[in-house]
Amino acid sequence: MSKLKKWLMDNEITEVECVVSDLSGIARGKIAPVDKFIHEGEMRLPESVLLQTVTGDYVDDDIFYSLLDEADIDFICKPDESAVYLLPWTIEKTAQIIHDSFDKMGNPIELSPRNVLKKVLKLYEERNWKPVVAPEMEFYLTARSEDPDLPLKPPIGRSGRMETGRQSFSIDAANEFDPLFEDMYDWCEQQGLAIDTLIHEEGVAQMEINFSHGDPLVLADQVFLFKRTLREAALKHQVVATFMSKPITDEPGSAMHLHQSILDVETGKNIFTNEDGTSSSLFYGYIAGLQQFIPEMLPMFAPNVNSFRRFLPDTSAPVNVEWGEENRTCGLRVPSCSPQNRRIENRLPGADANSYLAIAASLLCGYIGMVRELKPTPPAQGRGYEIRSPTLPYTLESALERMENCDEVSDYLGEAFAKGYIAVKRKEQENFKRVISSWEREFLLLTV
């Protein structure tokens, strides 16, 4: 704690937000005065926090008590000194510190998304491989709305008007929200978040932020914090930022595209490339692993009922696990780049995915493909939006069933994680089914 204590004192921190990510990517934890945080050196939370749904409910008792102690005991959270961030939007000088979760014996908690990612990274470390990722985060800005039954509306920009029509890559349309984005960039810089390019996406007031490539755990932490940062910047400017996968009817969905490459630790060279600059067998194995196992692990890329509304033909979202060079209509795109920078872009994850779990699942799929020497399909040619993969589930229910029957999930990520994650998502699905939608009232009320 000496290094961390010095940083807190040097930055005159008065409060510390001690946080962990739950399975849905929600920040859970405690806010402590800095003196108390330094004195205790760790945080304790009930184990049940990691089996809580987005609605605040818990999984059924038979699963709950098969995974957790009946006494609802605490697990221990220890601060990661490499995951300390200054929060620029708070009144008091506050730091957010991401914690790792352990049981009383010092074993990593299997239900922790951050531990899941660390477990996958350990597989790479054992083979002397170093993954590199670069996330691209899409999101919408919307007007504030107090009534969740009402459709979302575009926000009013500097011109005093709502945006209309398609404004893909429009500089002027992005500049409508300059004050908000200036705060966002300033706050990200103060926190050391490696954000890069801002673009206006296809949807009305839909934007995308690209992250610089780097270490998967660091980038997962930064995406986790970026979501909070952007929401705070939006609230300051009287609008809302949402990472829902499909927040607005008839508008494109929002994705979290993941660029991935693998380096050899000793040489620093990209293992996707041979000495002569051609694509390596490991490159093709990685693609094949993504093709075979993304359908089995889809709930880690598309975790909510709303996530599957994005998977529609002709809506700027691939509905397949085809691969192709410079082909954005495929679920797996190989961008044009130099041999050393050869990489694969996984375009299937939604913006609503937990960054730790989406990155972990993508890296795991590729890892299995490499170690098993799997072979990919031939690259797709031309327009791929009409290609609906016969192996890709198109509802959350069917996706969860596929994940439950995938031995690799429990073998590599742990039986407790597999069982707990599926149970949480099934509970959320049950809650969704209790709600009657406006579509049902509009078209069924007086006709059936």
Side-chain angles (χ1 to χ4, degrees):
M1 289 285 289
S2 58
K3 179 182 175 183
L4 182 52
K5 179 180 177 180
K6 183 178 185 305
W7 185 91
L8 294 170
M9 295 298 102
D10 289 346
N11 286 276
E12 301 178 337
I13 300 299
T14 60
E15 289 184 342
V16 178
E17 292 187 1
C18 311
V19 301
V20 298
S21 167
D22 74 358
L23 293 176
S24 296
I26 299 171
R28 309 276 185 185
K30 298 178 180 179
I31 302 173
V34 68
D35 292 339
K36 180 177 176 64
F37 169 79
I38 292 172
H39 175 71
E40 295 189 351
E42 62 186 32
M43 169 182 67
R44 292 175 182 251
L45 290 174
E47 286 186 331
S48 55
V49 162
L50 294 176
L51 287 179
Q52 195 170 15
T53 69
V54 292
T55 61
D57 297 311
Y58 295 93
V59 300
D60 294 337
D61 285 353
D62 59 333
I63 296 175
F64 188 95
Y65 291 116
S66 70
L67 297 175
L68 305 181
D69 192 285
E70 291 186 0
D72 194 14
I73 62 175
D74 289 342
F75 62 88
I76 300 168
C77 304
K78 295 184 179 293
D80 184 339
E81 292 191 359
S82 66
V84 181
Y85 303 92
L86 182 68
L87 298 185
W89 58 81
T90 56
I91 298 173
E92 296 287 333
K93 282 205 168 185
T94 304
Q96 174 181 272
I97 303 178
I98 297 174
H99 285 53
D100 284 316
S101 306
F102 303 90
D103 62 21
K104 290 184 177 179
M105 302 300 293
N107 302 307
I109 297 289
E110 277 194 2
L111 287 170
S112 161
R114 200 167 192 260
N115 286 341
V116 169
L117 177 54
K118 284 189 170 187
K119 186 175 289 189
V120 173
L121 294 178
K122 182 68 174 176
L123 296 172
Y124 279 85
E125 183 183 332
E126 290 168 353
R127 291 185 176 261
N128 225 22
W129 292 339
K130 180 177 176 56
V132 177
V133 302
E136 298 174 350
M137 297 298 300
E138 296 176 342
F139 57 89
Y140 274 90
L141 299 178
T142 76
R144 288 188 171 190
S145 175
E146 296 181 0
D147 189 344
D149 283 335
L150 297 177
L152 297 173
K153 294 181 179 180
I156 295 175
R158 293 187 305 163
S159 65
R161 300 183 65 180
M162 290 184 182
E163 183 180 309
T164 58
R166 293 285 186 255
Q167 300 289 342
S168 302
F169 296 94
S170 169
I171 300 298
D172 290 338
N175 285 343
E176 280 286 286
F177 306 99
D178 260 358
L180 188 161
F181 291 130
E182 286 174 5
D183 279 339
M184 179 197 74
Y185 270 108
D186 287 345
W187 290 355
C188 287
E189 184 178 356
Q190 291 177 49
Q191 295 171 94
L193 305 189
I195 65 170
D196 191 1
T197 311
L198 167 71
I199 65 171
H200 193 296
E201 266 293 346
E202 188 175 349
V204 175
Q206 185 188 30
M207 311 290 173
E208 178 184 283
I209 283 285
N210 297 335
F211 282 74
S212 301
H213 64 275
D215 178 83
L217 184 63
V218 172
L219 267 300
D221 285 340
Q222 293 195 6
V223 170
F224 174 62
L225 182 53
F226 172 74
K227 288 186 174 184
R228 294 192 67 201
T229 302
L230 179 64
R231 291 191 190 106
E232 290 290 341
L235 291 175
K236 177 183 174 181
H237 294 274
Q238 307 301 311
V239 298
V240 170
T242 178
F243 292 92
M244 278 181 64
S245 187
K246 186 80 167 181
I248 303 174
T249 303
D250 296 329
E251 293 291 339
S254 292
M256 175 170 56
H257 298 151
L258 293 174
H259 291 254
Q260 304 145 85
S261 60
I262 314 296
L263 303 181
D264 181 277
V265 172
E266 291 183 359
T267 65
K269 293 182 178 180
N270 189 338
I271 69 171
F272 288 167
T273 300
N274 294 318
E275 288 295 331
D276 62 1
T278 58
S279 301
S280 69
S281 59
L282 290 172
F283 174 73
Y284 293 115
Y286 196 99
I287 293 175
L290 291 170
Q291 288 187 308
Q292 181 168 331
F293 288 102
I294 282 177
E296 310 299 322
M297 303 183 194
L298 192 58
M300 296 171 73
F301 303 113
N304 304 303
V305 174
N306 180 260
S307 309
F308 287 81
R309 299 189 186 279
R310 178 174 151 259
F311 295 136
L312 295 172
D314 296 315
T315 57
S316 300
V319 287
N320 57 65
V321 286
E322 301 295 324
W323 75 279
E325 296 183 3
E326 276 302 326
N327 193 334
R328 285 186 170 85
T329 67
C330 294
L332 305 171
R333 169 178 170 255
V334 178
S336 177
C337 56
S338 67
Q340 175 61 16
N341 293 321
R342 181 171 278 114
R343 63 190 185 274
I344 300 162
E345 178 190 13
N346 182 356
R347 297 177 60 81
L348 285 158
D352 58 337
N354 183 316
S355 56
Y356 299 104
L357 298 182
I359 293 173
S362 202
L363 292 176
L364 178 59
C365 292
Y367 173 87
I368 297 172
M370 290 191 294
V371 298
R372 294 186 183 176
E373 300 180 351
L374 301 180
K375 305 299 181 185
T377 62
Q381 304 295 327
R383 186 172 175 79
Y385 282 142
E386 288 84 5
I387 304 174
R388 292 181 69 90
S389 172
T391 63
L392 199 64
Y394 291 105
T395 68
L396 181 58
E397 288 172 302
S398 60
L400 289 170
E401 185 175 352
R402 288 282 292 276
M403 184 172 171
E404 187 173 41
N405 293 322
C406 178
D407 292 337
E408 285 78 5
V409 175
S410 55
D411 289 347
Y412 283 104
L413 304 182
E415 187 175 344
F417 166 75
K419 191 174 181 180
Y421 187 76
I422 291 167
V424 164
K425 294 304 165 184
R426 280 193 170 138
K427 189 67 175 180
E428 292 171 356
Q429 168 78 358
E430 291 172 7
N431 287 337
F432 171 79
K433 283 184 172 182
R434 294 189 178 99
V435 179
I436 309 304
S437 70
S438 59
W439 187 95
E440 293 164 278
R441 290 190 292 270
E442 180 177 354
F443 293 104
L444 303 180
L445 184 68
L446 301 176
T447 58
V448 295

